[in-house]
Amino acid sequence: MEKLLLIDGNSIANRAFYGAGASMLRNSEGTYTGAVHGFMSMMTKVMEQEKPTMICVAFDASRHTFRHNIYSEYKGKRKDPPEELTMQMPLIKKALTLMGIKHCEIPEIEADDIIGTLSLEGKKKSVPCVIFTGDKDSLQLVDERVTVLLPITSEGRTTENRVTPEKVKEVFYGAEADMVVPMKALMGDSSDNIPGCPGIGPKGALTLLQEYGSIDNIYANIDKITSKSTKEKLINGKDLCYLSLELATIKRDVSLDLICKDDLSDLFVKQTDYPGLLSFMKHLELRKIIKLLDLEEKARIEEQSADYDDGDGTLFGFAAGIDNGDGEPGVSIPLSTKKIPSCSKISTEEEMTEALKKVKEAGNLYIITRKNKGLLSGITFYAQKGTETDESCGFEADLEDPEWTDKFIGLFAVALGDENIPKYMFDGKPFVTACLRKGVAVRPIANDLAICAYLSDSTRGLSEYSSAVRYYTGHAREDIFFMPEAVKAAEKKIEKDGMGLLLREIEIPMITVLAKMECCGVRVNADVLREEGKIFEKNLQELKAKIYELCGMEFNINSPKQLGEVLFEKLGIEGGKKNKTRTGYKTGQEVLEEIADKHPAVPLILEYRQNAKLKSTYIDGLLGVIDEKTGRVYTTFNQTVTATGRLSSSEPNLQNIPVRHELGRVIRKAFVAGNENMVLVDADYSQIELRLMACMSGDRTMIEAFKSGQDIHTLTAADVNDVAPEDVTYEMRSAAKAVNFGIIYGMSEYGLAAEIGVSVFEAKRYIASYFRKFPGVRDFLEYLKLDAKRKGYASTPMGRRRYLPELTNPKYPVRQFGERVAMNMPIQGAAADIMKLAMVKVDREIERRGLKSRLVLQVHDELLCDCPKEEEEEMKELLREMMESAADFEVKFPVSVSSGYEWSK
């Protein structure tokens, strides 16, 4: 079970500095160390108590924040922290790094805002979160998944007050968690110099909020307030009150890219560098911390454990009973006195030549990529000779400088392409892509530990090397020298779980296939996009003018606050709901759709929003990423992201072009062949998921319908509506299509009712009729749910798994979600497996025939090739043959193939 611990670094360091006379603690060199001592003590205690799997310590980057731009006197009464504390902040951060704990600071953003953003992100991922801070501002974040620990120091001892939603009242003037911000807006906060509404104190603020619920509601009912004094204070202080509301609200939408990865994986606690931490604490002369953490013993064990013999292939941890990730305890190996070799830095051609010599002698090469902001920044590699680490060598190379990278790849080309030197990698595709761009093919790729970790548990977030090693071997080390053991453990587990064929025949070959596609890119006609952009801009301006006319005023349509005020206050539309912070109205898509028939401006606002988003995302966005030299767009294909096994695309995302929208067709027309002598060949599976449902469920009616060439949507519509197939209308078929696909995705009667615009009763009738027509599908879906509950995971015919802890969750909505996934993952995952296998087959056949055509895109069930005109017909046949033969089921998977200069459907 994952658990997230968020620590307010400045708050805890400040408390540590002033606690129990620690501010005067120094080492023999005169370096102040009291804050480090107190911080380490408190944090260690909380870590032992909470046992988090993920930690982030957030710091203020500077005194000036974005709130000062709103109110220059914000925190104006605070004195600068003493130099004795300031000088210890880098020491605290260094200690955190040695402990393998993530820390973060962002210019103009406060630690509270980082914590607020991460706690919300954790909540989205159903990860419970504990916030350790001395600042009661964080109480506004408390909910069913977020707890705040407030340290309390008394008589030299620090304890923690655990604040849950029920306990907020006890520590904050009797207010609920959602009242914390409006309370501060009314009464102010002297510590942060938030003015509040002058004259309103805690008691008065609480009384007002208990009566009216929010600041907006207080002012909406200002005439009902009987106390003349209170009424005057509120009227006179209205501007300051709303200013304070904005200052007191913790920002929860800081760009996650500035903090961590989307899946939070780099917040996982890494292995402590015990020798390094011991040396650092000795330098600071913090003997109590050394004793508290037992650093001397742990450092001794780490150094002695640095080398070991696993010549018989046995997997092990540092001690008996460590889980290797397959549920079986590892075997204890006597500790050795040898040290793990260190990695040598390669920065000259001479060092590179020497490293290449050792790689050739070793016969095995292990490669870990390093990335910075998603881009390849370097590699660490290890050449193993035999099974002894003293016969091995490790090297590091920075690959941020293009000239040096070219030189490095050029000199290593012989080894990288040597078929007799197997390459074992961790997240190797970025390096393979970089090599291919220089004309160097990395082969053979024997395995990739990141892909193994993804297959073992696609939902666990094992995207960091250390977390994958810890998962498979029990070691929590960063050393690349542990990679052979991790690879062996991974291969053993993958085979045991029945995914060996999936790994070898699909996922590993896909690394090279995707690297080739990323190198090739796809050409985009910028002129088409610019012209369409002009049309969209004109349309947006016309919509804006109509909206202003209907509303009787101009306002920022993109501002939820202004839009809410116009709709629900000025126009008086009923159905307005306050947002969570009660600072404005909810104006999301669902809200606007609910009130679309209540005022003529609302449908236009919905249309404006949709068009503005489409233009920003698909026109402006694409124009911004077209390579000026080649005229091509280069996306990144993500192989280890989705839980179903499907590929995803990013920077830019080329898989979310809205096909059903007119703009989608325009965007596709902008994607063109490499030059005038080439064409794009498009191959698309027809209804692959429905055909898979027929085969996997064994429903004879559905199978025979596909085998006889009947239209499955018309067939369903005829049965549901009790009419002959020839009498099925377009509307009937559309509704039946929604039913067919809705069943696969586990859609409820409520979801179906909303999708096709009928009553829930009518949707129930549709589903009941569907299951009468295809009883095998009903039985199959029930089997999938029961089987997933029994095993704890759903799986595809090729063995791909998705673990489903949601099925045993005590909360009904969470269990429902798990059941939906149990029903749709086997179908979606099987489609993903077939598409990937088809891509591998197509790529191999292109290479075998020596063709110049290239795969350039994969979007859902569709493949796109860029090919010379003279290869057009051959590629059409090749794509159809390879894709249709990728799977062997009773029902065939027909592929429609088309070609042309533009990519359009």
Side-chain angles (χ1 to χ4, degrees), residues 565-635:
E565 290 173 352
V566 170
L567 295 178
F568 302 114
E569 293 180 8
K570 184 179 185 301
L571 299 179
I573 297 175
E574 295 181 358
K577 299 175 183 177
K578 288 292 186 176
N579 57 27
K580 187 174 181 180
T581 60
R582 298 184 178 275
T583 57
Y585 294 92
K586 294 180 180 179
T587 57
Q589 178 89 2
E590 291 184 6
V591 173
L592 295 184
E593 286 176 351
E594 286 178 8
I595 62 169
D597 59 346
K598 295 183 179 180
H599 193 280
V602 179
L604 295 182
I605 292 168
L606 280 165
E607 185 180 354
Y608 177 90
R609 274 189 175 180
Q610 183 187 42
N611 288 350
K613 182 178 180 180
L614 290 171
K615 179 179 182 295
S616 171
T617 304
Y618 303 109
I619 295 179
D620 300 340
L622 275 175
L623 283 170
V625 294
I626 297 175
D627 188 283
E628 293 182 0
K629 294 180 180 178
T630 65
R632 291 176 174 264
V633 168
Y634 301 91
T635 188

Side-chain angles (χ1 to χ4, degrees), residues 136-166:
K136 290 185 178 180
D137 285 353
S138 292
L139 295 177
Q140 65 186 271
L141 305 176
V142 171
D143 60 26
E144 69 280 0
R145 282 196 172 273
V146 180
T147 302
V148 169
L149 289 184
L150 292 173
I152 302 171
T153 303
S154 177
E155 298 181 359
R157 296 187 60 192
T158 299
T159 57
E160 293 80 38
N161 186 2
R162 183 180 296 274
V163 185
T164 59
E166 298 76 26

Side-chain angles (χ1 to χ4, degrees), residues 674-705:
N675 57 53
E676 299 299 327
N677 297 314
M678 301 182 77
V679 293
L680 293 176
V681 179
D682 182 297
D684 194 356
Y685 278 116
S686 174
Q687 299 176 337
I688 185 171
E689 291 184 350
L690 288 174
R691 291 171 183 272
L692 276 167
M693 174 62 85
C695 298
M696 291 168 66
S697 69
D699 186 276
R700 297 314 309 174
T701 302
M702 188 176 282
I703 288 172
E704 293 305 323

